[in-house]
Amino acid sequence: MGNRFQVKDRFADGAQYIDGRLRAGTSGQSHTVIDPATGDEVLTYELAGTADVDEAVAAAKRAFPAWSAATPGERSDALHRLAAVLAEQADDFARAESLQCGKPLKLSTEFDVPGTIDNTAFFAGAARHLQGQAAAEYSGDHTSYVRREAIGVVGSIAPWNYPLQMAAWKILPAIAAGNTIVLKPAELTPLTSLMFAQAAKDAGLPDGVINIVTGAGREAGEHLVGHPDVVMTSFTGSTAVGKRVAEIATATVKRLHLELGGKAPFLVFDDADLEAAAHGAVAASLINTGQDCTAATRAYVQRPLHDAFVARVAELMETVRLGDPFAPTTDLGPLVSHAQRDRVAAFVERARSYATVVTGGESPEGDLAAGAYYRPTLISGAAQDSEVVQSEIFGPVLVVLPFDTDDEGLALANDTPYGLAASAWSRDLYRANRATRELKAGCVWVNDHIPIISEMPHGGYKASGFGKDMSSYSFEEYTQVKHVMYDNTAVAAKDWHRTIFGDR
């Protein structure tokens, strides 16, 4: 196996980052980060308990007045410095991300890390453009304008599939708008979230602006969401856990942003470029070993192209190279854990009773047997109401179903509880435009599937949640809109007062 990132010395003081320093958790329980490619121990650390959450929130609360009072230019400068530090440490971030997640180093190096640096640079600029409605005399006697103000301490929870990017998506808009934050990363993958907070300190951000508590969801996570000094929660994860987060947050009347599960349709019309669609489907279904809530999971292919599409996708999937995440030739790494690998395998095994596994459907043997690997898997012949079509598998599995009319294809694509992402494949402009209007998803691609950019929002419809990550739209989540109104008349006894007392 390739050269791994050495973490034990770096996190010898613990895996909690509170008020500008690393420290150990106080829950009395430990957790071990495992390299999913080998099953080897990476780091054992003490989990955060409720007392650690309290201290992190208190640190964020202390830092809030000064940080929120900083000028947009000062916050912008700090984030520009952070982007530069991240760029200097890009190799360490990429290797740490691949180590804890099992994703190929080429994905970490070319997607996760540069995407995070770009996102940081974007919010460095966006910090100077917190805009409200133009000032005007809407009543005739008053001047009105809108202020956007920081809301306070944000308590966010990030998932394990993109630990670095998801940490950045939570932290950056929050602090760019003048808030402070306590982030709880997944226990499986805390390394790059902690490194991000350390990089922020290296860049000169004040202590307490960014805090990381690494603990179990039922203890640290629920306490963070319900904390009385936390005014907003942003959560990315499964819909089931999102419902629990919503219950806790609404009980304390918190602002809430949820980015939940997905089951993205990949809709191929009969005039599509078959080769482009097949290559797109393989890349979009296998990115991050399929552990992506926007990954293509349901390919609906108009009947004239269906059989050829299945054959070509199977052929391409069989060329995908599984291997050591640190090897330059590896295309597909392991899933994040053996438990996740077994969960995916169980979906496929159950599907054998009602569908056809065209290719894949097994774990490799030999040198990769110790890791959480699973071969790229293509399933056909499943019914629309079957488990593999309706449920989020979160692995390298693509299900292909046929459709006849455009109406049917669009209806099938929308026929799940989720609505995070979708794509439409067609050479016909009108057909593609109709799909972008009618597909119920927060992001719709045409003749591509997966690319994201910092300037555009990311978020879902239906059971995929609400609110936006990335882009200036995210400031809707992280700012309070205040209407300010000035009287322009200097008249003591105003005419409208007579509706309350006295006569005209």
Side-chain angles (χ1 to χ4, degrees):
M1 291 288 181
N3 182 28
R4 259 94 175 124
F5 182 68
Q6 301 302 310
V7 301
K8 290 185 179 180
D9 290 343
R10 182 157 189 166
F11 298 106
D13 292 332
Q16 317 302 324
Y17 189 84
I18 299 172
D19 207 14
R21 67 181 185 89
L22 286 171
R23 42 169 282 184
T26 62
S27 70
Q29 297 179 314
S30 63
H31 183 84
T32 300
V33 177
I34 299 293
D35 178 349
T38 62
D40 294 339
E41 175 186 341
V42 172
L43 176 71
T44 297
Y45 65 92
E46 298 300 315
L47 289 165
T50 56
D52 302 304
V53 173
D54 289 342
E55 290 192 32
V57 172
K61 187 176 180 180
R62 288 192 300 272
F64 175 73
W67 182 248
S68 61
T71 67
E74 289 168 338
R75 292 198 295 270
S76 175
D77 288 346
L79 291 176
H80 277 300
R81 294 194 302 271
L82 175 56
V85 171
L86 294 173
E88 291 169 2
Q89 300 177 7
D91 182 64
D92 281 353
F93 273 98
R95 291 191 299 120
E97 194 77 334
S98 288
L99 179 64
Q100 65 181 353
C101 300
K103 62 182 69 187
L105 187 61
K106 67 178 181 180
L107 182 65
S108 297
T109 301
E110 298 179 28
F111 181 71
D112 298 71
V113 174
T116 301
I117 296 169
D118 183 74
N119 217 234
T120 306
F122 170 81
F123 279 106
R128 304 183 82 136
H129 296 282
L130 284 170
Q131 296 176 344
Q133 193 169 4
E137 288 67 49
Y138 295 100
S139 76
D141 290 337
H142 306 82
T143 296
S144 288
Y145 68 90
V146 168
R147 290 176 55 88
R148 283 194 178 273
E149 298 181 346
I151 57 177
V153 178
V154 177
S156 293
I157 300 176
W160 48 256
N161 57 332
Y162 289 102
L164 176 60
Q165 288 207 78
M166 295 296 101
W169 287 15
K170 301 302 181 196
I171 291 169
L172 291 169
I175 66 173
N179 305 291
T180 55
I181 190 167
V182 179
L183 175 77
K184 192 197 90 65
E187 308 95 289
L188 289 172
T189 55
L191 304 181
T192 47
S193 299
L194 293 163
M195 291 168 64
F196 188 91
Q198 291 176 302
K201 185 178 179 71
D202 293 343
L205 272 76
D207 293 346
V209 172
I210 301 172
N211 305 273
I212 310 292
V213 289
T214 309
R218 290 193 178 275
E219 184 173 3
E222 292 196 2
H223 190 62
L224 176 61
V225 174
H227 199 289
D229 289 332
V230 169
V231 299
M232 176 197 164
T233 289
S234 178
F235 170 81
T236 296
S238 71
T239 298
V241 177
K243 291 177 181 178
R244 175 60 180 157
V245 169
E247 289 173 0
I248 299 169
T250 53
T252 51
V253 199
K254 283 181 174 48
R255 186 177 293 203
L256 183 62
H257 165 219
L258 298 175
E259 199 264 89
L260 306 177
K263 191 71 178 174
F266 188 98
L267 187 61
V268 182
F269 294 102
D270 58 13
D271 68 328
D273 181 327
L274 176 62
E275 193 69 7
H279 278 82
V282 172
S285 62
L286 299 185
I287 185 172
N288 204 36
T289 319
Q291 298 166 126
D292 186 314
C293 48
T294 64
T297 60
R298 300 177 289 137
Y300 295 98
V301 185
Q302 208 149 23
R303 205 169 294 274
L305 288 185
H306 176 270
D307 292 352
F309 179 87
V310 170
R312 185 60 175 139
V313 169
E315 183 179 40
L316 290 171
M317 280 188 168
E318 288 165 6
T319 70
V320 172
R321 300 163 297 183
L322 279 70
D324 174 13
F326 290 84
T329 56
T330 293
D331 297 321
L332 196 74
L335 287 100
V336 74
S337 68
H338 289 79
Q340 180 65 14
R341 190 270 314 275
D342 293 346
R343 178 181 178 275
V344 170
F347 271 102
V348 176
E349 289 309 305
R350 291 192 295 270
R352 292 184 191 276
S353 66
Y354 57 80
T356 300
V357 178
V358 180
T359 189
E362 62 183 5
S363 297
E365 299 178 349
D367 293 343
L368 302 182
Y373 290 89
Y374 198 75
R375 295 195 184 281
T377 300
L378 182 66
I379 295 175
S380 67
Q384 175 67 13
D385 62 355
S386 63
E387 180 186 49
V388 289
V389 175
Q390 293 292 324
S391 299
E392 188 173 30
I393 299 173
F394 227 56
V397 180
L398 177 65
V399 185
V400 184
L401 299 89
F403 69 93
D404 291 304
T405 67
D406 290 15
D407 288 349
E408 180 191 12
L410 289 162
L412 290 170
N414 286 328
D415 182 31
T416 73
Y418 301 106
L420 187 59
S423 64
W425 296 73
S426 173
R427 292 184 175 98
D428 186 317
L429 174 64
Y430 297 98
R431 220 174 196 182
N433 274 342
R434 180 190 176 190
T436 65
R437 292 192 305 271
E438 296 188 16
L439 287 168
K440 303 303 181 186
C443 178
V444 178
W445 293 280
V446 176
N447 295 326
D448 209 344
H449 192 118
I450 282 299
I452 53 175
I453 50 175
S454 297
E455 291 83 357
M456 289 291 117
H458 180 87
Y461 285 33
K462 301 188 292 185
S464 292
F466 48 82
K468 300 300 179 185
D469 286 312
M470 297 202 300
S471 83
S472 294
Y473 288 97
S474 63
F475 286 135
E476 300 297 331
E477 320 303 328
Y478 295 100
T479 57
Q480 185 67 263
V481 172
K482 177 187 287 183
H483 170 217
V484 178
M485 185 180 243
Y486 283 91
D487 170 61
N488 292 331
T489 66
V491 173
K494 294 178 173 60
D495 188 57
W496 76 267
H497 293 172
R498 301 300 162 258
T499 64
I500 311 303
F501 69 97
D503 298 320
R504 279 189 169 84

